[in-house]
PDB file of all heavy atoms in Angstrom:
ATOM      1  N   VAL A   1     -46.734 165.974-209.689  1.00 98.00           N
ATOM      2  CA  VAL A   1     -46.731 164.572-210.114  1.00 98.00           C
ATOM      3  C   VAL A   1     -47.235 163.684-208.982  1.00 98.00           C
ATOM      4  O   VAL A   1     -47.226 164.072-207.812  1.00 98.00           O
ATOM      5  CB  VAL A   1     -45.317 164.089-210.530  1.00 98.00           C
ATOM      6  CG1 VAL A   1     -44.792 164.871-211.726  1.00 98.00           C
ATOM      7  CG2 VAL A   1     -44.345 164.143-209.360  1.00 98.00           C
ATOM      8  N   VAL A   2     -47.663 162.484-209.375  1.00 98.00           N
ATOM      9  CA  VAL A   2     -47.924 161.401-208.426  1.00 98.00           C
ATOM     10  C   VAL A   2     -47.175 160.187-208.949  1.00 98.00           C
ATOM     11  O   VAL A   2     -47.434 159.728-210.063  1.00 98.00           O
ATOM     12  CB  VAL A   2     -49.426 161.088-208.300  1.00 98.00           C
ATOM     13  CG1 VAL A   2     -49.637 160.003-207.242  1.00 98.00           C
ATOM     14  CG2 VAL A   2     -50.226 162.325-207.956  1.00 98.00           C
ATOM     15  N   VAL A   3     -46.223 159.684-208.170  1.00 98.00           N
ATOM     16  CA  VAL A   3     -45.400 158.549-208.582  1.00 98.00           C
ATOM     17  C   VAL A   3     -45.844 157.319-207.810  1.00 98.00           C
ATOM     18  O   VAL A   3     -45.995 157.357-206.581  1.00 98.00           O
ATOM     19  CB  VAL A   3     -43.905 158.830-208.329  1.00 98.00           C
ATOM     20  CG1 VAL A   3     -43.065 157.600-208.653  1.00 98.00           C
ATOM     21  CG2 VAL A   3     -43.434 160.024-209.168  1.00 98.00           C
ATOM     22  N   VAL A   4     -46.038 156.198-208.515  1.00 98.00           N
ATOM     23  CA  VAL A   4     -46.578 155.006-207.861  1.00 98.00           C
ATOM     24  C   VAL A   4     -46.044 153.741-208.516  1.00 98.00           C
ATOM     25  O   VAL A   4     -45.875 153.665-209.720  1.00 98.00           O
ATOM     26  CB  VAL A   4     -48.134 155.028-207.903  1.00 98.00           C
ATOM     27  CG1 VAL A   4     -48.654 155.196-209.325  1.00 98.00           C
ATOM     28  CG2 VAL A   4     -48.723 153.786-207.266  1.00 98.00           C
ATOM     29  N   GLN A   5     -45.778 152.744-207.684  1.00 97.00           N
ATOM     30  CA  GLN A   5     -45.475 151.393-208.153  1.00 97.00           C
ATOM     31  C   GLN A   5     -46.779 150.609-208.139  1.00 97.00           C
ATOM     32  O   GLN A   5     -47.366 150.379-207.092  1.00 97.00           O
ATOM     33  CB  GLN A   5     -44.456 150.716-207.234  1.00 97.00           C
ATOM     34  CG  GLN A   5     -44.151 149.269-207.633  1.00 97.00           C
ATOM     35  CD  GLN A   5     -43.376 148.525-206.548  1.00 97.00           C
ATOM     36  OE1 GLN A   5     -42.945 149.118-205.548  1.00 97.00           O
ATOM     37  NE2 GLN A   5     -43.211 147.224-206.735  1.00 97.00           N
ATOM     38  N   CYS A   6     -47.236 150.190-209.316  1.00 97.00           N
ATOM     39  CA  CYS A   6     -48.553 149.554-209.396  1.00 97.00           C
ATOM     40  C   CYS A   6     -48.525 148.058-209.162  1.00 97.00           C
ATOM     41  O   CYS A   6     -49.560 147.461-208.825  1.00 97.00           O
ATOM     42  CB  CYS A   6     -49.201 149.842-210.753  1.00 97.00           C
ATOM     43  SG  CYS A   6     -48.429 149.017-212.169  1.00 97.00           S
ATOM     44  N   GLY A   7     -47.359 147.420-209.316  1.00 94.00           N
ATOM     45  CA  GLY A   7     -47.317 145.962-209.256  1.00 94.00           C
ATOM     46  C   GLY A   7     -47.439 145.370-210.654  1.00 94.00           C
ATOM     47  O   GLY A   7     -47.703 146.062-211.630  1.00 94.00           O
ATOM     48  N   ILE A   8     -47.260 144.063-210.734  1.00 95.00           N
ATOM     49  CA  ILE A   8     -47.191 143.369-212.010  1.00 95.00           C
ATOM     50  C   ILE A   8     -48.588 143.013-212.524  1.00 95.00           C
ATOM     51  O   ILE A   8     -49.457 142.589-211.768  1.00 95.00           O
ATOM     52  CB  ILE A   8     -46.369 142.069-211.880  1.00 95.00           C
ATOM     53  CG1 ILE A   8     -44.975 142.363-211.298  1.00 95.00           C
ATOM     54  CG2 ILE A   8     -46.266 141.353-213.216  1.00 95.00           C
ATOM     55  CD1 ILE A   8     -44.098 143.208-212.171  1.00 95.00           C
ATOM     56  N   GLY A   9     -48.796 143.173-213.819  1.00 97.00           N
ATOM     57  CA  GLY A   9     -50.008 142.668-214.447  1.00 97.00           C
ATOM     58  C   GLY A   9     -51.045 143.718-214.768  1.00 97.00           C
ATOM     59  O   GLY A   9     -51.036 144.831-214.238  1.00 97.00           O
ATOM     60  N   LYS A  10     -51.977 143.326-215.651  1.00 98.00           N
ATOM     61  CA  LYS A  10     -52.942 144.275-216.199  1.00 98.00           C
ATOM     62  C   LYS A  10     -53.959 144.759-215.169  1.00 98.00           C
ATOM     63  O   LYS A  10     -54.369 145.924-215.207  1.00 98.00           O
ATOM     64  CB  LYS A  10     -53.659 143.654-217.396  1.00 98.00           C
ATOM     65  CG  LYS A  10     -52.744 143.382-218.584  1.00 98.00           C
ATOM     66  CD  LYS A  10     -53.536 143.129-219.863  1.00 98.00           C
ATOM     67  CE  LYS A  10     -54.460 141.949-219.698  1.00 98.00           C
ATOM     68  NZ  LYS A  10     -55.278 141.694-220.901  1.00 98.00           N
ATOM     69  N   VAL A  11     -54.389 143.899-214.268  1.00 98.00           N
ATOM     70  CA  VAL A  11     -55.387 144.327-213.279  1.00 98.00           C
ATOM     71  C   VAL A  11     -54.805 145.377-212.350  1.00 98.00           C
ATOM     72  O   VAL A  11     -55.419 146.430-212.107  1.00 98.00           O
ATOM     73  CB  VAL A  11     -55.916 143.117-212.483  1.00 98.00           C
ATOM     74  CG1 VAL A  11     -56.831 143.588-211.354  1.00 98.00           C
ATOM     75  CG2 VAL A  11     -56.678 142.166-213.400  1.00 98.00           C
ATOM     76  N   ASN A  12     -53.618 145.118-211.817  1.00 97.00           N
ATOM     77  CA  ASN A  12     -52.954 146.108-210.965  1.00 97.00           C
ATOM     78  C   ASN A  12     -52.784 147.433-211.693  1.00 97.00           C
ATOM     79  O   ASN A  12     -53.020 148.515-211.130  1.00 97.00           O
ATOM     80  CB  ASN A  12     -51.581 145.598-210.523  1.00 97.00           C
ATOM     81  CG  ASN A  12     -51.653 144.541-209.451  1.00 97.00           C
ATOM     82  OD1 ASN A  12     -52.583 144.522-208.652  1.00 97.00           O
ATOM     83  ND2 ASN A  12     -50.690 143.645-209.433  1.00 97.00           N
ATOM     84  N   ALA A  13     -52.367 147.355-212.952  1.00 98.00           N
ATOM     85  CA  ALA A  13     -52.099 148.564-213.729  1.00 98.00           C
ATOM     86  C   ALA A  13     -53.358 149.388-213.945  1.00 98.00           C
ATOM     87  O   ALA A  13     -53.361 150.609-213.772  1.00 98.00           O
ATOM     88  CB  ALA A  13     -51.480 148.171-215.072  1.00 98.00           C
ATOM     89  N   ALA A  14     -54.450 148.731-214.324  1.00 98.00           N
ATOM     90  CA  ALA A  14     -55.700 149.448-214.574  1.00 98.00           C
ATOM     91  C   ALA A  14     -56.264 150.042-213.287  1.00 98.00           C
ATOM     92  O   ALA A  14     -56.763 151.178-213.281  1.00 98.00           O
ATOM     93  CB  ALA A  14     -56.717 148.505-215.208  1.00 98.00           C
ATOM     94  N   MET A  15     -56.180 149.291-212.182  1.00 98.00           N
ATOM     95  CA  MET A  15     -56.641 149.815-210.897  1.00 98.00           C
ATOM     96  C   MET A  15     -55.872 151.073-210.514  1.00 98.00           C
ATOM     97  O   MET A  15     -56.438 152.038-210.001  1.00 98.00           O
ATOM     98  CB  MET A  15     -56.468 148.756-209.803  1.00 98.00           C
ATOM     99  CG  MET A  15     -57.480 147.640-209.826  1.00 98.00           C
ATOM    100  SD  MET A  15     -57.194 146.472-208.478  1.00 98.00           S
ATOM    101  CE  MET A  15     -57.471 147.536-207.057  1.00 98.00           C
ATOM    102  N   CYS A  16     -54.583 151.060-210.800  1.00 98.00           N
ATOM    103  CA  CYS A  16     -53.727 152.190-210.458  1.00 98.00           C
ATOM    104  C   CYS A  16     -54.164 153.453-211.190  1.00 98.00           C
ATOM    105  O   CYS A  16     -54.250 154.537-210.597  1.00 98.00           O
ATOM    106  CB  CYS A  16     -52.281 151.845-210.788  1.00 98.00           C
ATOM    107  SG  CYS A  16     -51.092 153.096-210.285  1.00 98.00           S
ATOM    108  N   VAL A  17     -54.455 153.318-212.476  1.00 98.00           N
ATOM    109  CA  VAL A  17     -54.915 154.482-213.250  1.00 98.00           C
ATOM    110  C   VAL A  17     -56.221 155.019-212.677  1.00 98.00           C
ATOM    111  O   VAL A  17     -56.412 156.236-212.567  1.00 98.00           O
ATOM    112  CB  VAL A  17     -55.098 154.112-214.736  1.00 98.00           C
ATOM    113  CG1 VAL A  17     -55.722 155.278-215.498  1.00 98.00           C
ATOM    114  CG2 VAL A  17     -53.769 153.732-215.363  1.00 98.00           C
ATOM    115  N   GLN A  18     -57.131 154.113-212.279  1.00 98.00           N
ATOM    116  CA  GLN A  18     -58.408 154.571-211.760  1.00 98.00           C
ATOM    117  C   GLN A  18     -58.245 155.349-210.459  1.00 98.00           C
ATOM    118  O   GLN A  18     -58.905 156.370-210.243  1.00 98.00           O
ATOM    119  CB  GLN A  18     -59.352 153.386-211.543  1.00 98.00           C
ATOM    120  CG  GLN A  18     -60.806 153.793-211.420  1.00 98.00           C
ATOM    121  CD  GLN A  18     -61.307 154.510-212.662  1.00 98.00           C
ATOM    122  OE1 GLN A  18     -61.192 153.999-213.775  1.00 98.00           O
ATOM    123  NE2 GLN A  18     -61.830 155.712-212.489  1.00 98.00           N
ATOM    124  N   VAL A  19     -57.326 154.891-209.607  1.00 98.00           N
ATOM    125  CA  VAL A  19     -57.055 155.627-208.369  1.00 98.00           C
ATOM    126  C   VAL A  19     -56.449 156.991-208.687  1.00 98.00           C
ATOM    127  O   VAL A  19     -56.829 158.008-208.086  1.00 98.00           O
ATOM    128  CB  VAL A  19     -56.123 154.825-207.435  1.00 98.00           C
ATOM    129  CG1 VAL A  19     -55.730 155.656-206.219  1.00 98.00           C
ATOM    130  CG2 VAL A  19     -56.795 153.533-206.986  1.00 98.00           C
ATOM    131  N   LEU A  20     -55.527 157.028-209.639  1.00 98.00           N
ATOM    132  CA  LEU A  20     -54.919 158.302-210.035  1.00 98.00           C
ATOM    133  C   LEU A  20     -55.975 159.277-210.556  1.00 98.00           C
ATOM    134  O   LEU A  20     -55.921 160.478-210.280  1.00 98.00           O
ATOM    135  CB  LEU A  20     -53.857 158.077-211.109  1.00 98.00           C
ATOM    136  CG  LEU A  20     -52.528 157.473-210.646  1.00 98.00           C
ATOM    137  CD1 LEU A  20     -51.688 157.059-211.835  1.00 98.00           C
ATOM    138  CD2 LEU A  20     -51.763 158.440-209.760  1.00 98.00           C
ATOM    139  N   ALA A  21     -56.945 158.755-211.301  1.00 98.00           N
ATOM    140  CA  ALA A  21     -58.009 159.606-211.840  1.00 98.00           C
ATOM    141  C   ALA A  21     -58.959 160.074-210.746  1.00 98.00           C
ATOM    142  O   ALA A  21     -59.303 161.258-210.665  1.00 98.00           O
ATOM    143  CB  ALA A  21     -58.772 158.851-212.925  1.00 98.00           C
ATOM    144  N   ASP A  22     -59.392 159.155-209.891  1.00 98.00           N
ATOM    145  CA  ASP A  22     -60.428 159.461-208.902  1.00 98.00           C
ATOM    146  C   ASP A  22     -59.902 160.235-207.701  1.00 98.00           C
ATOM    147  O   ASP A  22     -60.516 161.203-207.250  1.00 98.00           O
ATOM    148  CB  ASP A  22     -61.072 158.166-208.399  1.00 98.00           C
ATOM    149  CG  ASP A  22     -61.914 157.468-209.444  1.00 98.00           C
ATOM    150  OD1 ASP A  22     -62.240 158.108-210.461  1.00 98.00           O
ATOM    151  OD2 ASP A  22     -62.235 156.281-209.255  1.00 98.00           O
ATOM    152  N   LEU A  23     -58.763 159.791-207.176  1.00 98.00           N
ATOM    153  CA  LEU A  23     -58.262 160.342-205.917  1.00 98.00           C
ATOM    154  C   LEU A  23     -57.337 161.542-206.122  1.00 98.00           C
ATOM    155  O   LEU A  23     -57.300 162.446-205.281  1.00 98.00           O
ATOM    156  CB  LEU A  23     -57.535 159.243-205.136  1.00 98.00           C
ATOM    157  CG  LEU A  23     -57.362 159.434-203.628  1.00 98.00           C
ATOM    158  CD1 LEU A  23     -58.736 159.535-202.945  1.00 98.00           C
ATOM    159  CD2 LEU A  23     -56.577 158.268-203.038  1.00 98.00           C
ATOM    160  N   PHE A  24     -56.610 161.548-207.237  1.00 98.00           N
ATOM    161  CA  PHE A  24     -55.590 162.577-207.431  1.00 98.00           C
ATOM    162  C   PHE A  24     -55.863 163.502-208.614  1.00 98.00           C
ATOM    163  O   PHE A  24     -55.130 164.465-208.823  1.00 98.00           O
ATOM    164  CB  PHE A  24     -54.215 161.917-207.606  1.00 98.00           C
ATOM    165  CG  PHE A  24     -53.782 161.132-206.406  1.00 98.00           C
ATOM    166  CD1 PHE A  24     -53.969 159.755-206.370  1.00 98.00           C
ATOM    167  CD2 PHE A  24     -53.231 161.746-205.294  1.00 98.00           C
ATOM    168  CE1 PHE A  24     -53.583 159.007-205.266  1.00 98.00           C
ATOM    169  CE2 PHE A  24     -52.843 161.019-204.181  1.00 98.00           C
ATOM    170  CZ  PHE A  24     -53.026 159.643-204.165  1.00 98.00           C
ATOM    171  N   GLN A  25     -56.897 163.201-209.382  1.00 98.00           N
ATOM    172  CA  GLN A  25     -57.297 164.049-210.514  1.00 98.00           C
ATOM    173  C   GLN A  25     -56.133 164.369-211.453  1.00 98.00           C
ATOM    174  O   GLN A  25     -55.929 165.516-211.848  1.00 98.00           O
ATOM    175  CB  GLN A  25     -57.948 165.361-210.032  1.00 98.00           C
ATOM    176  CG  GLN A  25     -59.303 165.174-209.359  1.00 98.00           C
ATOM    177  CD  GLN A  25     -59.173 164.777-207.896  1.00 98.00           C
ATOM    178  OE1 GLN A  25     -58.428 165.398-207.147  1.00 98.00           O
ATOM    179  NE2 GLN A  25     -59.877 163.752-207.488  1.00 98.00           N
ATOM    180  N   VAL A  26     -55.340 163.342-211.793  1.00 98.00           N
ATOM    181  CA  VAL A  26     -54.248 163.573-212.742  1.00 98.00           C
ATOM    182  C   VAL A  26     -54.829 163.899-214.113  1.00 98.00           C
ATOM    183  O   VAL A  26     -55.950 163.511-214.448  1.00 98.00           O
ATOM    184  CB  VAL A  26     -53.294 162.359-212.834  1.00 98.00           C
ATOM    185  CG1 VAL A  26     -52.695 162.036-211.478  1.00 98.00           C
ATOM    186  CG2 VAL A  26     -53.977 161.160-213.445  1.00 98.00           C
ATOM    187  N   THR A  27     -54.059 164.621-214.899  1.00 98.00           N
ATOM    188  CA  THR A  27     -54.484 164.976-216.250  1.00 98.00           C
ATOM    189  C   THR A  27     -53.771 164.159-217.316  1.00 98.00           C
ATOM    190  O   THR A  27     -54.246 164.041-218.441  1.00 98.00           O
ATOM    191  CB  THR A  27     -54.211 166.468-216.512  1.00 98.00           C
ATOM    192  OG1 THR A  27     -52.812 166.735-216.298  1.00 98.00           O
ATOM    193  CG2 THR A  27     -55.044 167.344-215.579  1.00 98.00           C
ATOM    194  N   HIS A  28     -52.604 163.623-216.960  1.00 98.00           N
ATOM    195  CA  HIS A  28     -51.790 162.848-217.897  1.00 98.00           C
ATOM    196  C   HIS A  28     -51.234 161.624-217.163  1.00 98.00           C
ATOM    197  O   HIS A  28     -50.983 161.681-215.953  1.00 98.00           O
ATOM    198  CB  HIS A  28     -50.619 163.671-218.438  1.00 98.00           C
ATOM    199  CG  HIS A  28     -51.023 164.872-219.223  1.00 98.00           C
ATOM    200  ND1 HIS A  28     -51.561 165.993-218.639  1.00 98.00           N
ATOM    201  CD2 HIS A  28     -50.956 165.131-220.562  1.00 98.00           C
ATOM    202  CE1 HIS A  28     -51.826 166.887-219.571  1.00 98.00           C
ATOM    203  NE2 HIS A  28     -51.465 166.395-220.749  1.00 98.00           N
ATOM    204  N   VAL A  29     -51.022 160.554-217.912  1.00 98.00           N
ATOM    205  CA  VAL A  29     -50.454 159.328-217.348  1.00 98.00           C
ATOM    206  C   VAL A  29     -49.232 158.929-218.157  1.00 98.00           C
ATOM    207  O   VAL A  29     -49.294 158.829-219.395  1.00 98.00           O
ATOM    208  CB  VAL A  29     -51.479 158.175-217.352  1.00 98.00           C
ATOM    209  CG1 VAL A  29     -50.819 156.885-216.897  1.00 98.00           C
ATOM    210  CG2 VAL A  29     -52.669 158.513-216.458  1.00 98.00           C
ATOM    211  N   LEU A  30     -48.122 158.712-217.468  1.00 98.00           N
ATOM    212  CA  LEU A  30     -46.883 158.247-218.094  1.00 98.00           C
ATOM    213  C   LEU A  30     -46.510 156.923-217.442  1.00 98.00           C
ATOM    214  O   LEU A  30     -46.333 156.852-216.233  1.00 98.00           O
ATOM    215  CB  LEU A  30     -45.776 159.284-217.919  1.00 98.00           C
ATOM    216  CG  LEU A  30     -44.467 159.044-218.666  1.00 98.00           C
ATOM    217  CD1 LEU A  30     -43.748 160.362-218.914  1.00 98.00           C
ATOM    218  CD2 LEU A  30     -43.537 158.107-217.895  1.00 98.00           C
ATOM    219  N   ASN A  31     -46.392 155.894-218.239  1.00 97.00           N
ATOM    220  CA  ASN A  31     -46.018 154.567-217.735  1.00 97.00           C
ATOM    221  C   ASN A  31     -44.588 154.260-218.145  1.00 97.00           C
ATOM    222  O   ASN A  31     -44.268 154.247-219.332  1.00 97.00           O
ATOM    223  CB  ASN A  31     -46.984 153.529-218.299  1.00 97.00           C
ATOM    224  CG  ASN A  31     -46.656 152.102-217.887  1.00 97.00           C
ATOM    225  OD1 ASN A  31     -46.898 151.174-218.645  1.00 97.00           O
ATOM    226  ND2 ASN A  31     -46.112 151.906-216.709  1.00 97.00           N
TER     227      ASN A  31
END
């Protein structure tokens, strides 16, 4: 797993997913 606090709001949230995809190659996302 990769656990992360993204911060409040849609921009923070979307940026967080992109980092998870690019840097950590996650296969699933649970919010």
Side-chain angles (χ1 to χ4, degrees):
V1 298
V2 183
V3 175
V4 54
Q5 177 192 353
C6 70
I8 305 295
K10 294 196 301 178
V11 174
N12 285 331
M15 285 181 63
C16 185
V17 174
Q18 198 60 54
V19 174
L20 285 169
D22 291 345
L23 201 61
F24 298 98
Q25 292 82 49
V26 301
T27 57
H28 298 72
V29 174
L30 188 155
N31 178 212

